[in-house]
Amino acid sequence: MNKYISIVFIAFLISNSVKAQGLLGNKEEIFTHQDTLRGSITPERAWWDVKQYRLDIKVNPADSTISGSNTICYTVLKSYNRMQIDLQKPMEINKVTQDGKEQKYTRNGNAFFIQLEAPQNIGEDKELVVFYGGKPKIAVNPPWDGGITWSKDKNGNPFIASTCQGLGASVWWPNKDHMYDEVENMLISVNVPKNLTNVSNGRLKSVTDLNDGTRTFTWHVSNPINNYGVNINIGDYVNFSEVFKGEKGNLDCNYYVLKDNLAKAKLHFKEVPKMLKAFEHWFGPYPFYEDSFKLVEAPYLGMEHQSSVTYGNGYQNGYLGRDRSESGWGLKFDYIIIHESGHEWFANNITYKDIADMWIHESFTCYSENLFVEYYYGKNAGAEYVRGQRNEIQNESQMIGQYDVNREGADLYNKGANMLHTLRQIVNDDEKWRTILRGLNSTFYHQTVTTKQIEDYLSQAVGLDLKPFFDQYLRDIRIPTFEYKVQGNNLEYRWTNCVPDFNMPIKVTINGKEQWLTPQTEWIIMLKTPKDLKLEVDENFYVEVVKGK
């Protein structure tokens, strides 16, 4: 490459990308214009507020295609005529209409820009119909590398499902694919071969048999729902149900499983009411009574699709039979049922605006596993479980991701759970801690939120300025270190390996007596401590301990 070409190429990279440093240690990650279109609130998104989607599609297992339309109902917030609708390659938009008239549009990668002819007056409610189709991306390793899974059950029947967190719902249907704007309600109509059943979110409104050998299932979601929470599950399903008597009354629980698994599912899914009882205790009422709770067998491990949680853990306890915490307690429950259902409170009820704040979903939900264990097996058991999860913490990248480019952070699960477990120790009042968790779900009920909102709420509820605490655990990869030394009869202690203003209080035992210390980053001297001093730090704090000389 000659010098001139090199200069032009470098200029192109700079002008079409965003550089992010610090998220991956010393590595530098380059984001493209497509990342910005996907991850930011563009002018073509900001001017309209989505109110309802009416998704009407045909899923054809024979050729792995999806086709149909999405009617987008919205309110005009600012007068503007250019709208961004997202749909990922190789899917194609075929036609866009408003008021029965075709609208012109252009494509820029995975973003379509529609030029609307009619005036878009502030306060007006409008509709746009997007017709589309194609062969959506095949899921490579769902749910992590998602798309559509086209598989078969052991009897040769199609077994199909969607997974798209992070990747985006626009991998299989057109929408405003940014988390900040949740649709208020939704109709999902899915046409499939007559021998199959489609299960989606919300409540089943109708099943219509057609003369062409197909059947259409229409589901209604009455609560706000995030895009990646919308799903299709297609298979040779059978259904059974029960009623859970919860904090808001009767909650109908429906289970959809492959026919051959009905007997084992009826036994194994008895864990669902146990989960609901524990999580309503800790977090407050299940957030979607109006839409029911469903657990749906899927051809992959599982996912937190709202009111339609998917399950593929093989009807066994643990995570595919393994205790991730290595504490023994992880084999007392089915990881997928508990974890993915916990997301109904943290992900589906409280939802991040930007995936950079994905810790809000995963940290609280990973921590919910510990609370489930505690509810049924005691506080010590729960603590052993969450401490055991520390073995999987990497501390290579920070927990906050890169904003406006659809990029999450790292260590969201196990480090996040231990961060929250540490915060609970600071609160030092179990009932107050439970009130704080329930308060989160009532304060931010059915809302999209930022990290700052959660930090501010917790600081106020706990009664401490928690900014240094969150700066340390969310935005730094170091484990804070409690360093102490004994000089004669004096104890000296401080925080090291931490952000400059880190001042977290910590519980210690000195010669068998519990007490609280409030270290700073400078040495603090405690005078006239006992001879032969023996100091132990409460192991429920996620910190390192170093005894100096």
Side-chain angles (χ1 to χ4, degrees):
M1 184 181 289
N2 66 40
K3 183 177 180 180
Y4 173 76
I5 294 175
S6 297
I7 292 171
V8 172
F9 180 69
I10 292 170
F12 171 81
L13 284 179
I14 293 173
S15 64
N16 288 276
S17 63
V18 177
K19 293 182 180 179
Q21 293 177 303
L23 300 184
L24 300 173
N26 294 324
K27 294 181 181 179
E28 182 179 276
E29 191 168 3
I30 294 177
F31 297 100
T32 68
H33 180 56
Q34 283 299 308
D35 292 322
T36 300
L37 287 178
R38 172 73 177 85
S40 64
I41 304 173
T42 62
E44 292 80 8
R45 284 171 167 162
W47 67 271
W48 56 285
D49 177 24
V50 63
K51 295 296 185 180
Q52 183 188 58
Y53 290 130
R54 297 198 295 271
L55 185 62
D56 187 356
I57 62 174
K58 178 183 182 67
V59 179
N60 190 348
D63 61 5
S64 302
T65 61
I66 295 177
S67 60
S69 66
N70 185 22
T71 300
I72 302 170
C73 306
Y74 64 95
T75 299
V76 179
L77 303 178
K78 180 181 178 181
S79 186
Y80 199 63
N81 281 77
R82 195 165 185 253
M83 175 183 284
Q84 178 179 339
I85 297 296
D86 305 290
L87 185 65
Q88 296 179 32
K89 295 178 179 180
M91 301 294 279
E92 290 282 352
I93 289 178
N94 304 316
K95 182 172 67 172
V96 180
T97 65
Q98 186 166 70
D99 302 323
K101 298 179 181 178
E102 285 198 39
Q103 308 293 300
K104 294 180 180 179
Y105 59 88
T106 58
R107 182 171 198 167
N108 185 342
N110 293 325
F112 287 79
F113 294 94
I114 296 104
Q115 193 65 40
L116 300 171
E117 293 182 7
Q120 306 292 307
N121 299 314
I122 295 174
E124 279 188 331
D125 293 324
K126 307 282 284 184
E127 288 189 6
L128 187 80
V129 186
V130 180
F131 298 87
Y132 79 107
K135 292 187 176 184
K137 175 184 179 295
I138 295 174
V140 176
N141 183 29
W144 303 278
D145 189 354
I148 301 295
T149 299
W150 306 90
S151 63
K152 293 184 181 294
D153 64 23
K154 66 180 182 181
N155 297 316
N157 298 301
F159 195 20
I160 302 163
S162 60
T163 48
C164 55
Q165 185 180 19
L167 175 64
S170 56
V171 73
W172 65 278
W173 61 285
N175 58 83
K176 181 197 277 193
D177 208 358
H178 192 288
M179 299 288 286
Y180 88 99
D181 190 7
E182 281 192 347
V183 68
E184 293 182 5
N185 64 84
M186 191 164 179
L187 277 170
I188 307 167
S189 296
V190 182
N191 177 260
V192 296
K194 190 172 288 187
N195 64 315
L196 301 175
T197 296
N198 172 73
V199 184
S200 289
N201 316 80
R203 291 186 179 274
L204 183 62
K205 304 301 290 184
S206 65
V207 181
T208 305
D209 290 329
L210 304 179
N211 293 330
D212 61 357
T214 64
R215 176 177 290 175
T216 299
F217 293 81
T218 298
W219 298 82
H220 178 244
V221 185
S222 61
N223 287 296
I225 185 169
N226 65 61
N227 291 339
Y228 85 80
V230 177
N231 71 342
I232 53 172
N233 302 281
I234 300 166
D236 185 21
Y237 286 125
V238 291
N239 166 242
F240 65 100
S241 63
E242 63 180 324
V243 174
F244 173 74
K245 296 186 181 300
E247 289 191 15
K248 287 180 66 174
N250 291 336
L251 171 64
D252 49 313
C253 302
N254 277 277
Y255 310 108
Y256 288 85
V257 300
L258 296 179
K259 286 181 179 179
D260 290 351
N261 294 331
L262 178 60
K264 66 175 73 171
K266 284 186 173 182
L267 289 174
H268 198 73
F269 286 2
K270 288 182 178 180
E271 194 148 79
V272 169
K274 290 181 61 180
M275 172 276 299
L276 289 166
K277 186 177 180 181
F279 287 167
E280 285 207 335
H281 169 83
W282 285 111
F283 304 140
Y286 172 74
F288 307 106
Y289 271 73
E290 301 84 357
D291 289 326
S292 79
F293 175 88
K294 295 188 295 298
L295 192 61
V296 187
E297 187 168 1
Y300 61 91
L301 187 59
M303 194 68 195
E304 68 259 27
H305 303 109
Q306 183 174 308
S307 72
S308 181
V309 174
T310 45
Y311 175 83
N313 198 37
Y315 299 96
Q316 60 188 323
N317 282 351
Y319 179 96
L320 294 173
R322 181 174 71 89
D323 176 10
R324 292 179 64 251
S325 74
E326 299 180 359
S327 68
W329 297 110
L331 294 178
K332 297 289 187 180
F333 63 94
D334 187 310
Y335 175 93
I336 293 300
I337 293 177
I338 303 309
H339 179 91
E340 304 304 343
S341 299
H343 275 305
E344 293 281 49
W345 285 264
F346 295 97
N348 299 336
N349 184 37
I350 304 174
T351 308
Y352 56 67
K353 287 183 184 291
D354 189 302
I355 198 172
D357 292 333
M358 188 173 169
W359 75 271
I360 297 169
H361 291 200
E362 298 302 349
S363 298
F364 280 98
T365 304
C366 187
Y367 179 63
S368 76
E369 303 158 25
N370 142 259
L371 295 178
F372 177 86
V373 171
E374 176 174 335
Y375 188 84
Y376 287 103
Y377 302 103
K379 189 173 180 178
N380 288 338
E384 288 175 9
Y385 178 83
V386 72
R387 293 198 307 266
Q389 292 175 311
R390 294 174 185 173
N391 65 78
E392 295 197 3
I393 299 174
Q394 301 298 312
N395 281 317
E396 294 178 350
S397 301
Q398 66 182 41
M399 289 174 62
I400 299 290
Q402 181 76 6
Y403 291 99
D404 298 325
V405 288
N406 196 49
R407 192 58 47 93
E408 66 195 59
D411 272 331
L412 309 176
Y413 296 76
N414 306 297
K415 183 177 181 180
N418 275 278
M419 175 186 72
L420 293 171
H421 186 62
T422 299
L423 182 57
R424 179 184 183 177
Q425 311 315 307
I426 298 171
V427 173
N428 198 33
D429 182 329
D430 292 345
E431 190 55 33
K432 181 178 179 179
W433 181 238
R434 185 169 81 99
T435 300
I436 289 171
L437 295 175
R438 291 173 66 94
L440 274 168
N441 277 279
S442 59
T443 300
F444 301 109
Y445 184 74
H446 291 176
Q447 293 182 34
T448 58
V449 300
T450 64
T451 284
K452 186 178 187 306
Q453 287 177 281
I454 300 300
E455 287 186 37
D456 289 349
Y457 170 88
L458 290 172
S459 288
Q460 183 177 8
V462 173
L464 292 172
D465 177 8
L466 295 174
K467 186 179 186 304
F469 175 87
F470 287 116
D471 284 348
Q472 182 66 49
Y473 286 105
L474 292 178
R475 301 177 180 89
D476 201 292
I477 65 174
R478 296 171 294 174
I479 306 173
T481 300
F482 176 79
E483 182 181 3
Y484 74 98
K485 59 186 177 181
V486 178
Q487 301 285 354
N489 286 339
N490 298 334
L491 169 67
E492 299 183 30
Y493 56 88
R494 67 176 178 177
W495 285 117
T496 63
N497 205 38
C498 59
V499 297
D501 52 353
F502 191 65
N503 59 354
M504 181 177 73
I506 192 165
K507 185 192 294 184
V508 301
T509 301
I510 298 177
N511 288 11
K513 183 180 178 180
E514 279 189 1
Q515 62 184 97
W516 283 87
L517 303 177
T518 307
Q520 308 293 317
T521 54
E522 302 294 331
W523 287 106
I524 292 177
I525 302 175
M526 180 184 290
L527 302 175
K528 297 181 181 180
T529 54
K531 292 182 179 180
D532 303 320
L533 181 144
K534 182 179 180 182
L535 184 149
E536 294 179 345
V537 172
D538 188 329
E539 61 184 340
N540 290 302
F541 287 79
Y542 179 50
V543 299
E544 299 280 2
V545 179
V546 171
K547 183 178 181 181
K549 295 181 180 180

